[in-house]
């Protein structure tokens, strides 16, 4: 398959921008299809009637039904066996919020006291810096430090033994999680927009289109909970964030907390093709599609500004449960995502054998 020598030249980039972000009007009688923007279009004031701006990339969708990917209400997700742990964590979280409020009030009290002397003339500067003034500052500092110590010392010390064999598997899960955190992009798929068959010169690719938002994966320590292992944090763009522990998963949101047994998690992982105009550096490019192509996928020679769009392989990880968990993540690095999925699935299978419900 012939690839242009100057695929990312300035000329092609300008043409790509006009095709993607230019005038988006099109005539259904000339070209039947649904416009699927590969990236969110930027607002532009360019409303010129240039024929080149009217050229757009269209993809025929087999199914254009938008399906949201979102978990149920957080109050319904807690496992029955872990209601007691959930209540203890909830009480700790609420008390921690109260301590933080008292700490902020003490800091504001000191800030207000210091601001009173800002408008006093220089002649009274020495009076403000008197022994009585310094004593008051020391008292306010002592109050702040007292609330800070109480805030840092208040947490739930949770101990749930899992056994050495399961610990070893969890360490493997941790190692694969650290690798997947270094993906160029991690997206939360919040909505599935449709399905399309994209014809290239080599084959037909069955592609799902998602509305996806960038999220963060990292290892972290929870302020309200002390455990032997740090939590594996999975950010969520449209719901509660996930904190994975060896025995359970905590879902934390501003309006509630849920604790889900890790054995109830159902995983599904697969490699998915995706169209990207500017793919991440760690993505695996498997094919190219011409921006203007014939029915067989070959280059349409009638168009002068015709460039190739990469088709890449991402890895998609779906987490579901009977209680109503429904989250989907897409990793730009296919290999890292697949390794994390395999270790996660192996750990859940081992946990089901270790702790028989």
């Amino acid at each position: 398959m012939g690839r242009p020598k100057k695929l990312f030249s300035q000329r092609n980039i300008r043409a790509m921008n006009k095709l993607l972000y230019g005038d988006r009007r099109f005539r259904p009688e000339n070209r039947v299809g649904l416009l699927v923007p590969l990236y969110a279009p930027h607002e532009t004031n360019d409303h010129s009637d240039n024929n080149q701006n009217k050229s757009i990339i269209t993809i025929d969708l087999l199914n254009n039904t938008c399906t949201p990917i979102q978990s149920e209400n957080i109050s319904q997700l807690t496992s029955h066996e872990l209601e007691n742990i959930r209540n203890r964590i909830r009480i700790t979280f609420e008390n921690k919020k109260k301590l933080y409020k008292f700490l902020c009030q003490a800091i504001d009290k000191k800030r207000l006291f210091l601001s009173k002397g800002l408008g006093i003339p220089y002649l009274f500067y020495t009076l403000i810096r008197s022994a009585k003034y310094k004593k008051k500052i020391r008292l306010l500092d002592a109050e702040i430090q007292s609330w800070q110590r109480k805030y840092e010392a208040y947490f739930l010390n949770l101990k749930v033994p899992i056994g050495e064999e399961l610990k070893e598997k969890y360490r493997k899960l941790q190692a694969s999680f650290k690798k997947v955190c270094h993906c160029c992009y991690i997206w939360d798929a919040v909505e599935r927009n449709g399905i399309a068959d994209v014809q290239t010169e080599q084959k037909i690719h069955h592609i799902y289109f998602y509305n996806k938002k960038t999220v963060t994966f990292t290892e972290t320590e929870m302020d309200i909970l002390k455990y032997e292992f740090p939590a594996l944090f999975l950010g969520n763009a449209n719901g509660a964030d996930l904190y994975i522990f060896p025995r359970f998963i905590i879902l934390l949101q501003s309006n509630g907390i849920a604790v889900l047994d890790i054995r109830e998690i159902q995983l599904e992982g697969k490699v998915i093709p995706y169209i990207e105009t500017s793919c991440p550096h760690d993505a695996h490019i498997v094919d190219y599609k011409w921006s203007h192509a014939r029915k067989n996928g070959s280059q349409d020679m009638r168009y002068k500004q015709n460039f190739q769009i990469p088709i890449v392989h991402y890895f998609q990880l779906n987490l579901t449960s009977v209680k109503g968990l429904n989250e989907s993540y897409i990793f730009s690095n296919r290999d890292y995502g697949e390794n994390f999925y395999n270790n996660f699935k192996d750990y859940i299978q081992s946990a089901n054998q270790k702790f028989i419900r």
Side-chain angles (χ1 to χ4, degrees):
M1 180 179 61
R3 177 179 175 180
K5 296 180 180 179
K6 296 182 179 180
L7 178 62
F8 300 109
S9 64
Q10 291 297 323
R11 186 177 181 182
N12 282 340
I13 289 174
R14 285 195 299 269
M16 186 185 300
N17 289 335
K18 287 182 180 180
L19 287 171
L20 292 177
Y21 308 131
D23 192 353
R24 290 185 169 272
R25 292 174 296 176
F26 64 100
R27 299 177 181 177
E29 63 272 14
N30 293 338
R31 201 164 183 181
V32 179
L34 180 65
L35 178 67
V36 180
L38 304 182
Y39 281 100
H42 302 291
E43 294 184 359
T44 176
N45 296 324
D46 183 17
H47 298 288
S48 60
D49 292 330
N50 191 349
N51 293 329
Q52 195 173 10
N53 286 347
K54 293 185 179 179
S55 300
I56 59 174
I57 298 174
T58 58
I59 296 175
D60 297 326
L61 294 183
L62 304 177
N63 181 8
N64 60 356
T65 304
C66 294
T67 306
I69 305 174
Q70 189 174 12
S71 300
E72 297 291 338
N73 192 290
I74 194 169
S75 60
Q76 305 175 9
L77 298 179
T78 301
S79 302
H80 180 71
E81 300 174 355
L82 301 177
E83 280 287 349
N84 185 30
I85 293 179
R86 182 247 179 193
N87 292 331
R88 290 167 62 188
I89 295 175
R90 180 182 57 82
I91 294 171
T92 305
F93 181 69
E94 291 176 355
N95 292 337
K96 194 89 170 177
K97 285 172 64 176
K98 292 179 182 178
L99 290 173
Y100 182 74
K101 181 180 178 181
F102 293 145
L103 175 61
C104 292
Q105 289 176 354
I107 295 173
D108 291 339
K109 190 189 296 183
K110 180 184 177 183
R111 187 182 294 114
L112 180 62
F113 181 76
L114 291 173
S115 64
K116 289 180 179 179
L118 295 178
I120 299 178
Y122 180 77
L123 294 175
F124 299 96
Y125 185 83
T126 54
L127 295 176
I128 295 173
R129 297 299 186 267
S130 62
K132 184 178 180 180
Y133 183 87
K134 293 179 179 179
K135 182 179 178 181
K136 181 66 175 177
I137 293 295
R138 286 197 296 269
L139 290 174
L140 291 174
D141 286 338
E143 184 181 1
I144 293 173
Q145 292 174 6
S146 175
W147 284 117
Q148 190 170 2
R149 284 195 296 269
K150 290 179 181 179
Y151 176 81
E152 293 175 354
Y154 190 81
F155 55 83
L156 178 63
N157 192 2
L158 202 59
K159 294 183 179 180
V160 182
I162 59 173
E164 291 299 327
E165 183 180 352
L166 210 56
K167 281 183 181 179
E168 188 62 31
K169 289 187 177 292
Y170 189 77
R171 291 189 183 97
K172 290 182 180 179
L173 176 62
Q174 274 185 308
S176 61
F177 181 78
K178 289 178 181 178
K179 288 184 178 180
V180 86
C181 289
H182 290 91
C183 286
C184 186
Y185 286 100
I186 302 174
W187 296 283
D188 180 9
V190 299
E191 189 179 51
R192 192 173 71 185
N193 294 328
I195 313 169
D197 284 340
V198 178
Q199 175 72 55
T200 65
E201 292 181 346
Q202 295 183 0
K203 58 183 292 189
I204 298 177
H205 297 272
H206 194 64
I207 295 178
Y208 288 88
F209 290 90
Y210 293 95
N211 177 16
K212 56 189 193 298
K213 298 182 180 180
T214 308
V215 292
T216 303
F217 278 30
T218 185
E219 277 191 337
T220 184
E221 295 283 351
M222 295 188 72
D223 290 340
I224 60 174
L225 184 65
K226 296 297 179 184
Y227 199 79
E228 181 181 358
F229 294 96
L232 308 182
F233 173 79
L234 280 62
N236 193 354
N238 62 341
D241 295 327
L242 281 69
Y243 296 83
I244 299 177
F245 289 94
R247 188 67 175 81
F248 50 81
I249 296 178
I250 296 177
L251 292 93
L252 185 60
Q253 206 172 9
S254 59
N255 61 346
I257 297 176
V259 182
L260 187 62
D261 195 326
I262 201 168
R263 297 171 297 173
E264 297 181 6
I265 301 296
Q266 299 171 3
L267 296 180
E268 180 188 2
K270 57 184 178 181
V271 177
I272 59 171
Y274 209 86
I275 295 181
E276 290 287 14
T277 54
S278 180
C279 60
H281 65 81
D282 60 348
H284 185 64
I285 300 176
V286 295
D287 206 346
Y288 290 90
K289 176 192 180 301
W290 290 102
S291 57
H292 299 286
R294 297 184 180 276
K295 289 184 179 181
N296 61 357
S298 61
Q299 182 182 5
D300 193 339
M301 304 301 294
R302 295 175 298 173
Y303 295 89
K304 190 174 182 180
Q305 297 295 333
N306 199 357
F307 53 89
Q308 287 184 310
I309 304 172
I311 296 179
V312 300
H313 269 177
Y314 291 153
F315 191 84
Q316 184 178 18
L317 175 64
N318 300 324
L319 292 86
T320 57
S321 74
V322 179
K323 288 287 186 177
L325 180 70
N326 184 20
E327 300 297 336
S328 180
Y329 294 99
I330 299 175
F331 306 100
S332 61
N333 192 309
R334 179 189 65 184
D335 298 331
Y336 286 172
E338 190 170 7
N339 186 32
F340 174 64
Y341 161 71
N342 291 331
N343 283 285
F344 201 179
K345 188 176 181 180
D346 183 45
Y347 178 80
I348 292 176
Q349 290 176 353
S350 301
N352 275 296
Q353 295 174 0
K354 177 72 175 179
F355 305 105
I356 301 176
R357 284 175 281 185

